[in-house]
Amino acid sequence: MKRVRLGVLLLMLSVAGLAVWWASTSQRVAPDAHTNSDSASVVHGVDATVASSASADISPLEFEDVTSRTGIRFSSRNGEEAEHYSILESLGSGVALFDFDNDGRLDIFVAGGGWFAGPTHQTITGQYGKLYRNLGDWKFVDVTAEVGLVGDFYTHGAFVCDFDRDGDADLLLTGYTGVRLFRNDTQADGRRRFVDVTARSGLSSHRAWATAAAWGDLDGDGWPDLYVCNYVDWSWTNDPFCPRAGGMGRDVCPPQRLPPLPDRVYRNQGDGTFIDCSETWGLRQDGKGLGVLMIDVDDDTIPEIYVANDGGDNFLYRVRRQANGAIRLEEIGLSTGVALDDRGIYNGSMGVDAADVDGSGRPSLWVTNFQNETHALYLNLGQLRFLHQTRAFGILALGQNLVGFGTAFLDADGDGWEDLLIAHGHVLRYPQGSSLAQQMVLLRNEATSGGRRRFVDWSQRAGAVFAPRQRGRGLAIGDLDQDGRVDVVLNPVNEPVQVWRNLRPTSTANTLGVLLQGQDRRCLVGAKVELQFTDRVQTRWVKSGASYLSSNEECLRFAWHGADPQAIRVTWPGGRIERWASPRSPAGGVLRLHEGSGEAVEAPHTLNGGR
Amino acid sequence: MPTKAGSQAAVPIPSQGRSRRWKRWVIVGLVLLGVGWGGRSGWTWWQMQQGEQAADRRDFAEAQRRAEAVLVWRPGNLDAILLAARSARRAHDSAQARQWLERYVAAGGDRSLLMEERDLARIQVGELDRAGPYLQRLQREPNAPSARYLAEALSLGAIQAGRIDLATLAAQKWLDLAPSTADRVEAHLVLGLAAAQRLQREVTLEHFRQAVTLAPDDPRTHLRLGQAVVDDAPQEAVRCFETVLRLQPQHRDAQIGLARARRNLGELEAAAQILEQIPTGDTPVPELLLERGMLAQDQRQLAEAESWIRQAVAAAPQRHDYHYALAQILRQLGKTDEAEQVRQRAAALEQKRFGTATTSGERQP
């Protein structure tokens, strides 16, 4: 009997124990299961939303990487494998999109960068880069050697201009200890040859570390003058040790550790030579320029020069043409509000561009900046007044962990409003609170409910090309396949060049490229083109420089939804205004407008007045 | 037949019965007395435990209530008086703390503790003239029972006084003492603020995020994190401020922070709506005035922006960052001479407070 009771008792205890264990495990599991299902639904919810919107609607913005189709396989180098952590390695290289052989197709030049040779790896050398001829249908062929662009030079930038006004696009390269100027000549056999005319032109006197450059007719003689940014006074004998943040060893120095090298401005004398006018025209003796843009911001048809300095006030030079023919460059960055950010401090500025972001008909200035700063959108209020509007345009949503370089305004979605593309990548090898490789960003220009304009990050919705991180630097835009849509070429540091095709679903009938052709092939930087619709006007400017160490295509691109434009109006440098009614997109989508061929418009032009 | 002796044994003797009953009552009485005494001791011990746990949770009102409950039964209990005094002092109720300390001394408490508590009361509000010996003691005897109180007072006072190095040192010591969760939250908040003053963005965020993890229901943790990321990650800041407002719907700092975050996202209309809903009251709120000014600036209403920012500067004339904001709007309005004067004033204020000037006032987290 006792045994039976004991057995029953043990059985009951076992049952009770099992019950307690089951209850406790179910309590333990339940919250986890709940959390998991919650988080899963959240995660899947987000993905599903994006996925469903992506699958249900065709994105108005989409790019695809077509590099593998193009045959372009090239990486510019910076020499970091030598482990010097020199500041020279931080800049990277640019890209130029131009039609060097006048076949109507945009070709690609990629600046090559450099490396450190010799037994101690302290011989600074490099390569000009690679020139790829566009064969059409996204096929390119390397013609670098054929055209004579082979040489050892630690190269950063590539800047295109017909400096001799012979109708062929010439090429200026910038790099460590100077510039190289190549004249684009046609040989007797019809082949193209880039002839190094640096010494002949007088530009071999430029011995400083040159970065960005821009061409524009500053003195009004029709010949393109040259502005060259210089960076800092660095060499192996002036190579400070900069400790790595939060660790042992060294890292790349910030520019604050090195003295500035003043920029130079050269007057084109029209005979193939240039003369250094930096002192006589009144250039500032400071600045660590990495970006420069020439564009007419005050509507007087004379280009201003905007310089993005890395760790100093940005400059805005206004060209003063005096009665006696003398030129003065008046630096007005601080008084116009484009020298500093909205906190009143200078930034580490790299890339630049300008566009009419708000439909005002005025070009606002755009600058990409360093980590812990915001990229700067200086809204043009007219009367040479600018207002830092990064926050108001929603761009601060990107945060402050990115380091911006190449950048361009482009109407990626063809809605008539220029969107914004930015290449990011850090300069420090061991950045704190950020990463070496960073994301490309595409900001779409959208209307707010209040009728304002705002930039919204569309990078996650514009194709898989935006997913991988890279050490972004050079960036240039142009229509590589002549479909009216603007494509992109990127030149990240030590990584293969990328060619992005714009896939936006739009009709080529709703796009128009405009190429201005000045009398006697005069330089047209400063000209303004307005495409007039019934309800609005789209405005573009002939500009030079822009982005970062790169050159965009020369053609001005327009796109629209709905009714065709009624007229196109061009304000030429000097103030002449011409109009063409009902512009039609010709085959190839590029309309060539020759100065003097349009209907003259008598319009009083207010100098510096804006609209 | 029963024997005589047997019959005698069966009959109880009356005097013996009374004596036994008396003894029984004595025993019962003693037992009851023991139970009562033991119960009271147990109860007071339990109250003390509860009081100390409340202090660990930084629920200082509850800690004082528990101490008072102990003192009802044991009016001279020095531990309870000290718990009440410390709790009042840590709750920044100096009058109450003084009363408790007087009672502590009257009850025979250690006079040196009285002096220490008085000093800590001053130190924790930023009067650091007597902080030196306590810092030395903290470093010399990091495991002493009072070390956590010294570390706490030094941390809170130093951060208030802008003594960033001292605040960081003391708060780190405080954390090293493995205090309660609530105290760790406070220490992380101090370390986060100190790192923000040093412009160490990553360290700042790390501490504020730790604080949020430890105290997800504490609106202050979300508020600090939101304020720290409002320019870096405005979307995250929106979430932080909205969490605060869910916990405390009328939290003014969170409302202002949310408006700023919305402004940073370019949602100017939403920001304006939030600011309009904040009751202004009789006393001007400098942060609100400044945010109104900054919003007006983003809305390109520069004259209005100037007016708001001038009011903000008038309401908080010691704030160097407000002066910088005024200098900036004046520069945009073309009032360059006045802008430069204001900028110099801002730099002087910043120099006075931090020993260096950033030229922008960006120190404020």
Side-chain angles (χ1 to χ4, degrees), chain B residues 58 90 148 151-156 159 164 166-195 203-204 206-212 214-215 218 220-221 224:
Chain B
R58 302 188 72 82
R90 293 175 75 194
R148 54 185 284 209
E152 176 191 35
L154 287 165
S155 303
L156 299 176
I159 196 69
I164 308 305
L166 178 58
T168 307
L169 179 71
Q172 197 54 60
K173 292 260 179 220
W174 194 10
L175 267 187
D176 293 345
L177 290 166
S180 65
T181 302
D183 284 354
R184 279 162 60 205
V185 169
E186 295 302 316
H188 279 300
L189 290 178
V190 170
L191 287 167
L193 285 171
V203 182
T204 304
E206 190 186 317
H207 285 296
F208 288 158
R209 286 192 206 287
Q210 290 258 30
V212 166
L214 290 168
D218 184 343
R220 294 171 315 142
T221 61
R224 287 297 185 200

Short mmCIF file of all heavy atoms in Angstrom, two decimals, chain B residues 58 90 148 151-156 159 164 166-195 203-204 206-212 214-215 218 220-221 224:
data_model
loop_
_atom_site.label_atom_id
_atom_site.label_comp_id
_atom_site.label_asym_id
_atom_site.label_seq_id
_atom_site.Cartn_x
_atom_site.Cartn_y
_atom_site.Cartn_z
N ARG B 58 16.54 55.59 -7.84
CA ARG B 58 16.50 57.05 -7.86
C ARG B 58 15.08 57.56 -7.66
O ARG B 58 14.71 58.63 -8.13
CB ARG B 58 17.11 57.62 -9.16
CG ARG B 58 18.54 57.20 -9.39
CD ARG B 58 19.19 57.89 -10.54
NE ARG B 58 19.49 59.30 -10.27
CZ ARG B 58 20.56 59.74 -9.60
NH1 ARG B 58 21.42 58.86 -9.12
NH2 ARG B 58 20.75 61.01 -9.40
N ARG B 90 19.94 64.13 -2.72
CA ARG B 90 20.09 63.66 -4.12
C ARG B 90 18.91 64.12 -4.98
O ARG B 90 19.04 64.23 -6.19
CB ARG B 90 20.21 62.14 -4.14
CG ARG B 90 21.49 61.66 -3.50
CD ARG B 90 21.54 60.14 -3.41
NE ARG B 90 21.81 59.50 -4.67
CZ ARG B 90 21.62 58.20 -4.89
NH1 ARG B 90 21.14 57.42 -3.93
NH2 ARG B 90 21.90 57.67 -6.07
N ARG B 148 30.33 55.91 -4.18
CA ARG B 148 29.31 56.10 -5.21
C ARG B 148 28.63 57.45 -5.07
O ARG B 148 28.27 58.08 -6.09
CB ARG B 148 28.26 54.98 -5.15
CG ARG B 148 27.63 54.82 -3.78
CD ARG B 148 26.70 53.65 -3.73
NE ARG B 148 25.44 53.92 -4.40
CZ ARG B 148 24.29 53.35 -4.06
NH1 ARG B 148 24.23 52.47 -3.08
NH2 ARG B 148 23.19 53.64 -4.69
N ALA B 151 31.13 60.07 -6.34
CA ALA B 151 31.22 60.03 -7.81
C ALA B 151 29.98 60.66 -8.43
O ALA B 151 30.08 61.42 -9.41
CB ALA B 151 31.37 58.59 -8.28
N GLU B 152 28.84 60.36 -7.85
CA GLU B 152 27.59 60.91 -8.40
C GLU B 152 27.58 62.43 -8.31
O GLU B 152 27.33 63.13 -9.30
CB GLU B 152 26.41 60.33 -7.61
CG GLU B 152 25.08 60.91 -8.04
CD GLU B 152 23.96 60.53 -7.08
OE1 GLU B 152 24.22 60.43 -5.85
OE2 GLU B 152 22.84 60.36 -7.55
N ALA B 153 27.87 62.94 -7.11
CA ALA B 153 27.80 64.39 -6.91
C ALA B 153 28.82 65.11 -7.79
O ALA B 153 28.53 66.14 -8.41
CB ALA B 153 28.04 64.72 -5.44
N LEU B 154 30.03 64.55 -7.86
CA LEU B 154 31.06 65.17 -8.69
C LEU B 154 30.67 65.14 -10.17
O LEU B 154 30.87 66.12 -10.89
CB LEU B 154 32.39 64.44 -8.49
CG LEU B 154 33.10 64.70 -7.17
CD1 LEU B 154 34.20 63.67 -6.92
CD2 LEU B 154 33.69 66.11 -7.15
N SER B 155 30.10 64.04 -10.63
CA SER B 155 29.69 63.93 -12.03
C SER B 155 28.66 64.99 -12.37
O SER B 155 28.80 65.75 -13.34
CB SER B 155 29.06 62.57 -12.32
OG SER B 155 29.92 61.55 -11.99
N LEU B 156 27.59 65.00 -11.56
CA LEU B 156 26.47 65.90 -11.87
C LEU B 156 26.89 67.36 -11.77
O LEU B 156 26.50 68.19 -12.60
CB LEU B 156 25.29 65.60 -10.94
CG LEU B 156 24.73 64.17 -11.05
CD1 LEU B 156 23.63 63.95 -10.01
CD2 LEU B 156 24.17 63.92 -12.44
N ILE B 159 29.45 68.43 -14.67
CA ILE B 159 28.85 68.63 -16.00
C ILE B 159 28.04 69.92 -16.02
O ILE B 159 27.99 70.63 -17.03
CB ILE B 159 27.99 67.41 -16.43
CG1 ILE B 159 27.71 67.46 -17.94
CG2 ILE B 159 26.68 67.31 -15.69
CD1 ILE B 159 28.89 67.23 -18.80
N ILE B 164 34.38 69.62 -17.99
CA ILE B 164 34.17 68.40 -18.77
C ILE B 164 35.09 67.27 -18.32
O ILE B 164 34.67 66.12 -18.19
CB ILE B 164 34.38 68.69 -20.27
CG1 ILE B 164 33.55 69.90 -20.70
CG2 ILE B 164 34.04 67.49 -21.12
CD1 ILE B 164 32.10 69.79 -20.39
N LEU B 166 36.55 66.78 -15.42
CA LEU B 166 36.15 66.26 -14.11
C LEU B 166 34.88 65.43 -14.23
O LEU B 166 34.77 64.35 -13.62
CB LEU B 166 35.94 67.44 -13.13
CG LEU B 166 35.47 67.07 -11.74
CD1 LEU B 166 36.44 66.11 -11.06
CD2 LEU B 166 35.29 68.33 -10.88
N ALA B 167 33.94 65.92 -15.01
CA ALA B 167 32.68 65.18 -15.18
C ALA B 167 32.95 63.80 -15.78
O ALA B 167 32.38 62.79 -15.32
CB ALA B 167 31.74 65.97 -16.08
N THR B 168 33.81 63.76 -16.77
CA THR B 168 34.11 62.48 -17.42
C THR B 168 34.79 61.51 -16.45
O THR B 168 34.41 60.34 -16.35
CB THR B 168 35.03 62.71 -18.64
OG1 THR B 168 34.42 63.70 -19.47
CG2 THR B 168 35.24 61.44 -19.43
N LEU B 169 35.76 62.05 -15.70
CA LEU B 169 36.50 61.22 -14.75
C LEU B 169 35.56 60.65 -13.69
O LEU B 169 35.54 59.45 -13.42
CB LEU B 169 37.60 62.07 -14.09
CG LEU B 169 38.46 61.38 -13.05
CD1 LEU B 169 39.37 60.37 -13.73
CD2 LEU B 169 39.30 62.39 -12.28
N ALA B 170 34.76 61.55 -13.10
CA ALA B 170 33.88 61.12 -12.00
C ALA B 170 32.80 60.17 -12.51
O ALA B 170 32.49 59.16 -11.85
CB ALA B 170 33.25 62.35 -11.35
N ALA B 171 32.24 60.47 -13.67
CA ALA B 171 31.16 59.61 -14.18
C ALA B 171 31.71 58.23 -14.56
O ALA B 171 31.03 57.22 -14.39
CB ALA B 171 30.49 60.26 -15.38
N GLN B 172 32.94 58.20 -15.04
CA GLN B 172 33.54 56.91 -15.37
C GLN B 172 33.77 56.10 -14.10
O GLN B 172 33.52 54.90 -14.05
CB GLN B 172 34.85 57.13 -16.13
CG GLN B 172 35.35 55.92 -16.88
CD GLN B 172 34.31 55.31 -17.83
OE1 GLN B 172 33.86 55.98 -18.75
NE2 GLN B 172 33.92 54.07 -17.59
N LYS B 173 34.23 56.80 -13.02
CA LYS B 173 34.40 56.12 -11.72
C LYS B 173 33.06 55.59 -11.24
O LYS B 173 32.97 54.50 -10.68
CB LYS B 173 34.95 57.12 -10.69
CG LYS B 173 36.37 57.56 -10.95
CD LYS B 173 37.34 56.78 -10.07
CE LYS B 173 38.76 57.22 -10.38
NZ LYS B 173 39.67 56.08 -10.38
N TRP B 174 32.05 56.43 -11.42
CA TRP B 174 30.70 56.06 -10.99
C TRP B 174 30.28 54.76 -11.69
O TRP B 174 29.78 53.83 -11.06
CB TRP B 174 29.76 57.21 -11.33
CG TRP B 174 28.42 57.16 -10.70
CD1 TRP B 174 27.98 56.33 -9.72
CD2 TRP B 174 27.32 58.02 -11.00
NE1 TRP B 174 26.68 56.60 -9.39
CE2 TRP B 174 26.25 57.63 -10.17
CE3 TRP B 174 27.12 59.06 -11.89
CZ2 TRP B 174 25.01 58.27 -10.20
CZ3 TRP B 174 25.89 59.70 -11.93
CH2 TRP B 174 24.85 59.32 -11.09
N LEU B 175 30.52 54.71 -12.99
CA LEU B 175 30.17 53.50 -13.74
C LEU B 175 30.99 52.31 -13.28
O LEU B 175 30.49 51.19 -13.19
CB LEU B 175 30.43 53.72 -15.22
CG LEU B 175 29.30 54.23 -16.11
CD1 LEU B 175 29.73 54.20 -17.56
CD2 LEU B 175 28.04 53.40 -15.93
N ASP B 176 32.28 52.57 -12.98
CA ASP B 176 33.16 51.48 -12.55
C ASP B 176 32.69 50.84 -11.25
O ASP B 176 33.01 49.69 -10.95
CB ASP B 176 34.60 51.99 -12.36
CG ASP B 176 35.23 52.39 -13.69
OD1 ASP B 176 34.67 52.01 -14.74
OD2 ASP B 176 36.24 53.11 -13.68
N LEU B 177 31.95 51.61 -10.43
CA LEU B 177 31.48 51.08 -9.15
C LEU B 177 30.27 50.17 -9.33
O LEU B 177 29.69 49.71 -8.35
CB LEU B 177 31.10 52.25 -8.22
CG LEU B 177 32.30 53.06 -7.71
CD1 LEU B 177 31.85 54.37 -7.10
CD2 LEU B 177 33.08 52.24 -6.69
N ALA B 178 29.90 49.93 -10.58
CA ALA B 178 28.77 49.05 -10.91
C ALA B 178 27.53 49.40 -10.11
O ALA B 178 27.01 48.58 -9.35
CB ALA B 178 29.16 47.58 -10.70
N PRO B 179 27.09 50.60 -10.24
CA PRO B 179 25.92 51.01 -9.45
C PRO B 179 24.63 50.43 -10.03
O PRO B 179 24.66 49.61 -10.95
CB PRO B 179 25.95 52.53 -9.61
CG PRO B 179 26.54 52.75 -10.97
CD PRO B 179 27.49 51.63 -11.20
N SER B 180 23.52 50.88 -9.47
CA SER B 180 22.22 50.38 -9.94
C SER B 180 21.99 50.81 -11.39
O SER B 180 22.68 51.70 -11.91
CB SER B 180 21.12 50.97 -9.07
OG SER B 180 21.09 52.37 -9.26
N THR B 181 21.00 50.19 -12.01
CA THR B 181 20.69 50.53 -13.40
C THR B 181 20.38 52.02 -13.55
O THR B 181 20.85 52.67 -14.48
CB THR B 181 19.49 49.69 -13.88
OG1 THR B 181 19.84 48.32 -13.71
CG2 THR B 181 19.16 49.96 -15.32
N ALA B 182 19.59 52.53 -12.60
CA ALA B 182 19.20 53.95 -12.71
C ALA B 182 20.42 54.85 -12.60
O ALA B 182 20.52 55.86 -13.32
CB ALA B 182 18.20 54.29 -11.60
N ASP B 183 21.35 54.50 -11.73
CA ASP B 183 22.57 55.30 -11.61
C ASP B 183 23.44 55.18 -12.85
O ASP B 183 24.06 56.15 -13.29
CB ASP B 183 23.37 54.87 -10.37
CG ASP B 183 22.75 55.40 -9.09
OD1 ASP B 183 21.78 56.19 -9.18
OD2 ASP B 183 23.22 55.02 -7.99
N ARG B 184 23.45 53.99 -13.44
CA ARG B 184 24.23 53.83 -14.69
C ARG B 184 23.66 54.71 -15.79
O ARG B 184 24.39 55.29 -16.58
CB ARG B 184 24.24 52.36 -15.11
CG ARG B 184 25.29 51.56 -14.35
CD ARG B 184 25.03 50.07 -14.41
NE ARG B 184 25.04 49.54 -15.75
CZ ARG B 184 24.40 48.44 -16.12
NH1 ARG B 184 23.67 47.77 -15.22
NH2 ARG B 184 24.47 47.99 -17.34
N VAL B 185 22.34 54.80 -15.81
CA VAL B 185 21.71 55.68 -16.81
C VAL B 185 22.21 57.12 -16.63
O VAL B 185 22.61 57.78 -17.59
CB VAL B 185 20.18 55.62 -16.68
CG1 VAL B 185 19.52 56.71 -17.52
CG2 VAL B 185 19.67 54.25 -17.09
N GLU B 186 22.22 57.56 -15.33
CA GLU B 186 22.67 58.94 -15.06
C GLU B 186 24.13 59.11 -15.50
O GLU B 186 24.49 60.13 -16.10
CB GLU B 186 22.55 59.26 -13.57
CG GLU B 186 21.14 59.28 -13.05
CD GLU B 186 20.26 60.28 -13.77
OE1 GLU B 186 20.72 61.42 -14.01
OE2 GLU B 186 19.13 59.92 -14.11
N ALA B 187 24.95 58.12 -15.16
CA ALA B 187 26.37 58.23 -15.51
C ALA B 187 26.55 58.29 -17.02
O ALA B 187 27.34 59.08 -17.54
CB ALA B 187 27.14 57.05 -14.93
N HIS B 188 25.79 57.48 -17.76
CA HIS B 188 25.90 57.51 -19.22
C HIS B 188 25.44 58.86 -19.77
O HIS B 188 26.02 59.37 -20.73
CB HIS B 188 25.09 56.38 -19.85
CG HIS B 188 25.79 55.05 -19.82
ND1 HIS B 188 27.01 54.85 -20.44
CD2 HIS B 188 25.46 53.88 -19.24
CE1 HIS B 188 27.37 53.59 -20.25
NE2 HIS B 188 26.47 52.98 -19.52
N LEU B 189 24.40 59.41 -19.16
CA LEU B 189 23.93 60.72 -19.63
C LEU B 189 25.02 61.78 -19.42
O LEU B 189 25.26 62.62 -20.29
CB LEU B 189 22.63 61.12 -18.93
CG LEU B 189 21.39 60.31 -19.31
CD1 LEU B 189 20.18 60.76 -18.51
CD2 LEU B 189 21.09 60.43 -20.81
N VAL B 190 25.67 61.73 -18.24
CA VAL B 190 26.75 62.69 -17.97
C VAL B 190 27.89 62.49 -18.97
O VAL B 190 28.39 63.45 -19.56
CB VAL B 190 27.26 62.54 -16.52
CG1 VAL B 190 28.54 63.34 -16.32
CG2 VAL B 190 26.20 62.97 -15.53
N LEU B 191 28.28 61.24 -19.18
CA LEU B 191 29.39 60.97 -20.11
C LEU B 191 29.03 61.39 -21.53
O LEU B 191 29.87 61.91 -22.27
CB LEU B 191 29.76 59.48 -20.07
CG LEU B 191 30.50 59.04 -18.80
CD1 LEU B 191 30.54 57.52 -18.70
CD2 LEU B 191 31.92 59.61 -18.77
N GLY B 192 27.78 61.18 -21.89
CA GLY B 192 27.33 61.60 -23.22
C GLY B 192 27.38 63.10 -23.38
O GLY B 192 27.86 63.63 -24.40
N LEU B 193 26.92 63.81 -22.36
CA LEU B 193 26.95 65.27 -22.42
C LEU B 193 28.39 65.79 -22.47
O LEU B 193 28.70 66.72 -23.22
CB LEU B 193 26.23 65.87 -21.21
CG LEU B 193 24.71 65.79 -21.24
CD1 LEU B 193 24.12 66.19 -19.90
CD2 LEU B 193 24.16 66.68 -22.35
N ALA B 194 29.24 65.16 -21.67
CA ALA B 194 30.65 65.59 -21.65
C ALA B 194 31.29 65.36 -23.02
O ALA B 194 32.00 66.23 -23.54
CB ALA B 194 31.41 64.82 -20.58
N ALA B 195 31.01 64.22 -23.62
CA ALA B 195 31.57 63.93 -24.94
C ALA B 195 31.03 64.91 -25.98
O ALA B 195 31.74 65.33 -26.89
CB ALA B 195 31.26 62.50 -25.35
N VAL B 203 31.33 59.05 -29.35
CA VAL B 203 31.27 58.72 -27.92
C VAL B 203 29.94 59.20 -27.35
O VAL B 203 29.28 58.51 -26.57
CB VAL B 203 32.46 59.36 -27.18
CG1 VAL B 203 32.45 58.98 -25.71
CG2 VAL B 203 33.78 58.93 -27.82
N THR B 204 29.55 60.38 -27.75
CA THR B 204 28.28 60.94 -27.30
C THR B 204 27.14 59.97 -27.61
O THR B 204 26.35 59.61 -26.72
CB THR B 204 27.99 62.27 -28.03
OG1 THR B 204 29.09 63.14 -27.83
CG2 THR B 204 26.72 62.91 -27.54
N GLU B 206 27.24 56.85 -28.34
CA GLU B 206 27.38 55.56 -27.66
C GLU B 206 26.77 55.63 -26.26
O GLU B 206 26.01 54.75 -25.87
CB GLU B 206 28.87 55.22 -27.59
CG GLU B 206 29.15 53.81 -27.12
CD GLU B 206 30.65 53.60 -26.92
OE1 GLU B 206 31.42 54.06 -27.77
OE2 GLU B 206 31.01 53.00 -25.90
N HIS B 207 27.09 56.69 -25.52
CA HIS B 207 26.57 56.80 -24.15
C HIS B 207 25.06 57.02 -24.14
O HIS B 207 24.34 56.43 -23.32
CB HIS B 207 27.30 57.90 -23.40
CG HIS B 207 28.68 57.51 -22.99
ND1 HIS B 207 28.93 56.49 -22.09
CD2 HIS B 207 29.90 57.97 -23.36
CE1 HIS B 207 30.24 56.34 -21.93
NE2 HIS B 207 30.86 57.23 -22.69
N PHE B 208 24.59 57.88 -25.03
CA PHE B 208 23.14 58.13 -25.03
C PHE B 208 22.37 56.87 -25.47
O PHE B 208 21.29 56.58 -24.95
CB PHE B 208 22.80 59.32 -25.93
CG PHE B 208 23.21 60.65 -25.35
CD1 PHE B 208 23.41 61.75 -26.16
CD2 PHE B 208 23.41 60.81 -23.98
CE1 PHE B 208 23.80 62.98 -25.64
CE2 PHE B 208 23.81 62.02 -23.45
CZ PHE B 208 24.00 63.11 -24.28
N ARG B 209 22.96 56.13 -26.39
CA ARG B 209 22.28 54.90 -26.81
C ARG B 209 22.26 53.88 -25.67
O ARG B 209 21.28 53.16 -25.47
CB ARG B 209 22.97 54.30 -28.03
CG ARG B 209 22.69 55.06 -29.31
CD ARG B 209 23.16 54.26 -30.53
NE ARG B 209 23.48 55.13 -31.64
CZ ARG B 209 22.60 55.78 -32.40
NH1 ARG B 209 21.32 55.66 -32.14
NH2 ARG B 209 22.99 56.55 -33.38
N GLN B 210 23.35 53.83 -24.90
CA GLN B 210 23.39 52.94 -23.73
C GLN B 210 22.29 53.33 -22.76
O GLN B 210 21.61 52.48 -22.18
CB GLN B 210 24.74 53.08 -23.03
CG GLN B 210 25.90 52.51 -23.81
CD GLN B 210 26.30 51.15 -23.24
OE1 GLN B 210 25.47 50.43 -22.72
NE2 GLN B 210 27.56 50.81 -23.38
N ALA B 211 22.17 54.63 -22.56
CA ALA B 211 21.15 55.11 -21.61
C ALA B 211 19.75 54.72 -22.08
O ALA B 211 18.91 54.29 -21.27
CB ALA B 211 21.25 56.63 -21.46
N VAL B 212 19.51 54.84 -23.38
CA VAL B 212 18.19 54.45 -23.91
C VAL B 212 17.97 52.95 -23.71
O VAL B 212 16.87 52.53 -23.32
CB VAL B 212 18.10 54.81 -25.42
CG1 VAL B 212 16.91 54.13 -26.06
CG2 VAL B 212 18.01 56.31 -25.60
N LEU B 214 19.22 51.05 -21.37
CA LEU B 214 19.02 50.75 -19.95
C LEU B 214 17.68 51.27 -19.45
O LEU B 214 17.07 50.67 -18.55
CB LEU B 214 20.15 51.38 -19.12
CG LEU B 214 21.54 50.75 -19.27
CD1 LEU B 214 22.60 51.64 -18.63
CD2 LEU B 214 21.56 49.36 -18.65
N ALA B 215 17.24 52.38 -20.00
CA ALA B 215 15.99 52.99 -19.49
C ALA B 215 15.10 53.41 -20.65
O ALA B 215 14.95 54.59 -20.94
CB ALA B 215 16.33 54.18 -18.61
N ASP B 218 12.41 55.96 -19.92
CA ASP B 218 12.79 57.25 -19.35
C ASP B 218 12.85 58.27 -20.49
O ASP B 218 13.70 58.17 -21.38
CB ASP B 218 14.18 57.12 -18.68
CG ASP B 218 14.60 58.40 -17.97
OD1 ASP B 218 14.01 59.46 -18.25
OD2 ASP B 218 15.52 58.33 -17.13
N ARG B 220 13.99 61.13 -20.66
CA ARG B 220 15.22 61.92 -20.76
C ARG B 220 16.24 61.26 -21.66
O ARG B 220 16.99 61.93 -22.37
CB ARG B 220 15.85 62.12 -19.37
CG ARG B 220 14.99 62.96 -18.42
CD ARG B 220 15.58 62.92 -17.03
NE ARG B 220 15.94 61.57 -16.68
CZ ARG B 220 17.02 61.23 -15.98
NH1 ARG B 220 17.85 62.17 -15.57
NH2 ARG B 220 17.27 59.98 -15.69
N THR B 221 16.28 59.93 -21.65
CA THR B 221 17.27 59.24 -22.49
C THR B 221 16.96 59.45 -23.97
O THR B 221 17.85 59.73 -24.76
CB THR B 221 17.30 57.73 -22.17
OG1 THR B 221 16.02 57.17 -22.45
CG2 THR B 221 17.66 57.47 -20.73
N ARG B 224 17.78 63.13 -24.91
CA ARG B 224 19.21 63.39 -25.12
C ARG B 224 19.68 62.80 -26.45
O ARG B 224 20.42 63.44 -27.20
CB ARG B 224 20.04 62.80 -23.98
CG ARG B 224 19.94 63.55 -22.67
CD ARG B 224 20.48 64.95 -22.81
NE ARG B 224 20.49 65.64 -21.53
CZ ARG B 224 20.54 66.95 -21.39
NH1 ARG B 224 20.60 67.73 -22.48
NH2 ARG B 224 20.56 67.50 -20.22
#
